[in-house]
Amino acid sequence: MGTYRIKSLIGEIAQGIKGLLDAGRIREGSRVLLYGLDRYAFAMRTILSNLGFHGVEGYLTDDEALALTCGMEMRNFSCRFLNHERDLIKVWTLKERLCPFDEKVLILVASKEYERVRAVLEALGYKENIHFFSACDFRDTEQERLLAGKRRMSLPEIKETEKGILSFLDRFCREKGLRYWVCGGTLLGTIRHQGFIPWDDDIDVFLPWQDYRKFFELFRESGQYDTMGFGASPVSDFPDLLAKVVDKRTIVVEDIGTVKKTNPLWVDVFPLIGLPQEREERYLFFRGYQEMNRRIWQEFYETNGSLDVFSKWAPSQREYLSRHDFDESAFAGVLGTIYGEKDATSRQVYEKTLRMPFEDIMVNVPAGYEEYLTNLYGRDFGKLPPKEKRKTHHDMQAYWNE
């Protein structure tokens, strides 16, 4: 599949904290404070607990509004679900906890803005590697070496490459008798712009679950194109319910916070599954998968960021997707997207297929696209959004793999 690499950032933080414990920097009785109110600070608390240290005093933040909001949310939680508010880990602003100077504190930092945080703490009199420590160096030297000398792709080059992948996928599916349709923002762009949404930079398609599985059974590496992701191989190292058709001539850096991936540029491929007919049953079905996804990520953190967790859960995910046959169901949809239950329509949406232009190629569009797009984007999906909302939701760094 060309250049592919995945790195657990939570695993990197866990290694850093274990090193501090092994070196005796953190010991029983240490007055440990965690800098930040984000996924990395929360991960540090979980990792410390996993490694047997339970003496975290609280979280620090230089954002007073955030400290107030989190404190209020925690107290609301405690009055509902805890016997005593004292069981909560405290949240402090820097001034509340670090002024006046407290030489006995030990502050752990896991931040991509470490230089800024270091300057803030040093300005208050605290010294690096005495009073505060970095739990993770987010600089990725291996990735820097990989990308050294490679030319970054322009947005037009990214779109042209993605369109080439889509054209290949379209030919492959039609030759093999597999059903597929463009979906999400790609379907919206096809209807509203006859191509890409001008400020968007990705392409999404979906296949009925049985066609999705058949796609990967039939697919063989084809020149510059390959596949990766859910269903593309027996081993899964990422929990998302989607796969990718990729162009091996390219390299893309993806950082979603918990993991960092380096892989070729892609078109996303989603499984479209059958859903229960009754509204309440559909609601419970979506909630059931959300709970499974929560358990996957809980185990990921409990194992200090082990990527093996995702392969372990893949069979359960496949079983869940197979519970309702697409062709026998009155409703169909996609699990695991940001749209939740909005990503469900009557299956009649897909009874017929239209061929419509996307830029200078033709693609498959479900004949009932109005119901689908109304669900996701509202009745005014054909109108342009305000200028301030015309921006991509991705932060893609793509390079030619030359």
Side-chain angles (χ1 to χ4, degrees), residues 84-368:
H84 301 287
E85 189 175 308
R86 64 173 177 267
D87 295 327
L88 292 170
I89 296 177
K90 290 181 171 56
V91 175
W92 288 292
T93 64
L94 299 186
K95 290 182 180 179
E96 287 175 331
R97 184 61 185 84
L98 300 183
C99 299
F101 180 81
D102 184 351
E103 64 178 12
K104 294 183 179 180
V105 299
L106 191 153
I107 305 165
L108 298 183
V109 183
S111 173
K112 294 178 181 179
E113 299 181 341
Y114 179 71
E115 295 303 317
R116 180 191 68 80
V117 175
R118 179 172 66 179
V120 168
L121 293 174
E122 288 180 340
L124 294 174
Y126 295 88
K127 296 181 180 179
E128 186 178 30
N129 296 328
I130 296 177
H131 304 111
F132 67 91
F133 298 85
S134 173
C136 179
D137 181 0
F138 285 93
R139 182 180 175 185
D140 192 335
T141 54
E142 183 180 348
Q143 184 182 88
E144 290 174 359
R145 288 195 297 269
L146 177 66
L147 299 178
K150 291 182 169 56
R151 182 171 67 85
R152 187 160 181 177
M153 299 175 72
S154 67
L155 182 58
E157 287 177 320
I158 289 173
K159 289 185 173 183
E160 187 66 23
T161 302
E162 291 175 342
K163 188 186 68 177
I165 301 172
L166 176 59
S167 179
F168 165 79
L169 187 149
D170 173 77
R171 290 195 305 272
F172 182 89
C173 288
R174 289 191 294 128
E175 288 172 0
K176 303 298 184 183
L178 302 175
R179 295 168 292 179
Y180 93 90
W181 303 278
V182 292
C183 63
T186 307
L187 178 53
L188 178 61
T190 302
I191 300 303
R192 196 169 67 190
H193 305 276
Q194 292 75 56
F196 284 100
I197 296 174
W199 51 91
D200 203 4
D201 60 0
D202 68 344
I203 292 178
D204 301 321
V205 306
F206 49 26
L207 287 74
W209 177 230
Q210 52 267 49
D211 295 67
Y212 182 96
R213 289 179 294 178
K214 193 71 173 178
F215 178 90
F216 294 108
E217 290 174 8
L218 297 173
F219 187 90
R220 298 293 181 271
E221 187 176 354
S222 177
Q224 70 199 56
Y225 300 115
D226 204 348
T227 61
M228 57 182 287
F230 184 78
S233 67
V235 178
S236 177
D237 56 14
F238 202 63
D240 286 348
L241 295 182
L242 61 94
K244 301 174 186 288
V245 178
V246 302
D247 188 323
K248 296 181 293 183
R249 301 174 303 164
T250 63
I251 300 178
V252 178
V253 177
E254 277 192 285
D255 184 348
I256 68 164
T258 48
V259 298
K260 193 172 187 177
K261 296 194 293 180
T262 305
N263 49 255
L265 191 61
W266 67 88
V267 164
D268 280 330
V269 183
F270 295 85
L272 180 63
I273 64 170
L275 297 173
Q277 182 169 355
E278 299 300 324
R279 180 189 295 269
E280 180 63 22
E281 290 183 18
R282 287 199 303 278
Y283 173 84
L284 292 174
F285 188 76
F286 273 91
R287 286 291 182 267
Y289 182 73
Q290 289 172 355
E291 170 60 15
M292 180 186 292
N293 191 56
R294 185 200 64 76
R295 291 172 63 193
I296 293 171
W297 283 105
Q298 179 180 349
E299 188 168 335
F300 174 76
Y301 283 98
E302 287 175 346
T303 58
N304 292 339
S306 171
L307 298 172
D308 294 337
V309 168
F310 304 135
S311 283
K312 172 186 172 183
W313 279 91
S316 297
Q317 291 174 305
R318 288 194 290 269
E319 185 278 329
Y320 204 90
L321 293 177
S322 303
R323 290 186 182 181
H324 302 277
D325 184 86
F326 175 82
D327 290 303
E328 300 298 325
S329 299
F331 285 80
V334 179
L335 294 177
T337 72
I338 61 173
Y339 301 108
E341 294 96 289
K342 289 183 179 181
D343 220 329
T345 65
S346 63
R347 191 182 57 79
Q348 290 181 342
V349 166
Y350 309 102
E351 287 289 343
K352 295 181 180 179
T353 297
L354 307 176
R355 295 287 287 172
M356 300 184 74
F358 181 90
E359 304 294 337
D360 58 351
I361 65 174
M362 301 295 287
V363 296
N364 284 359
V365 169

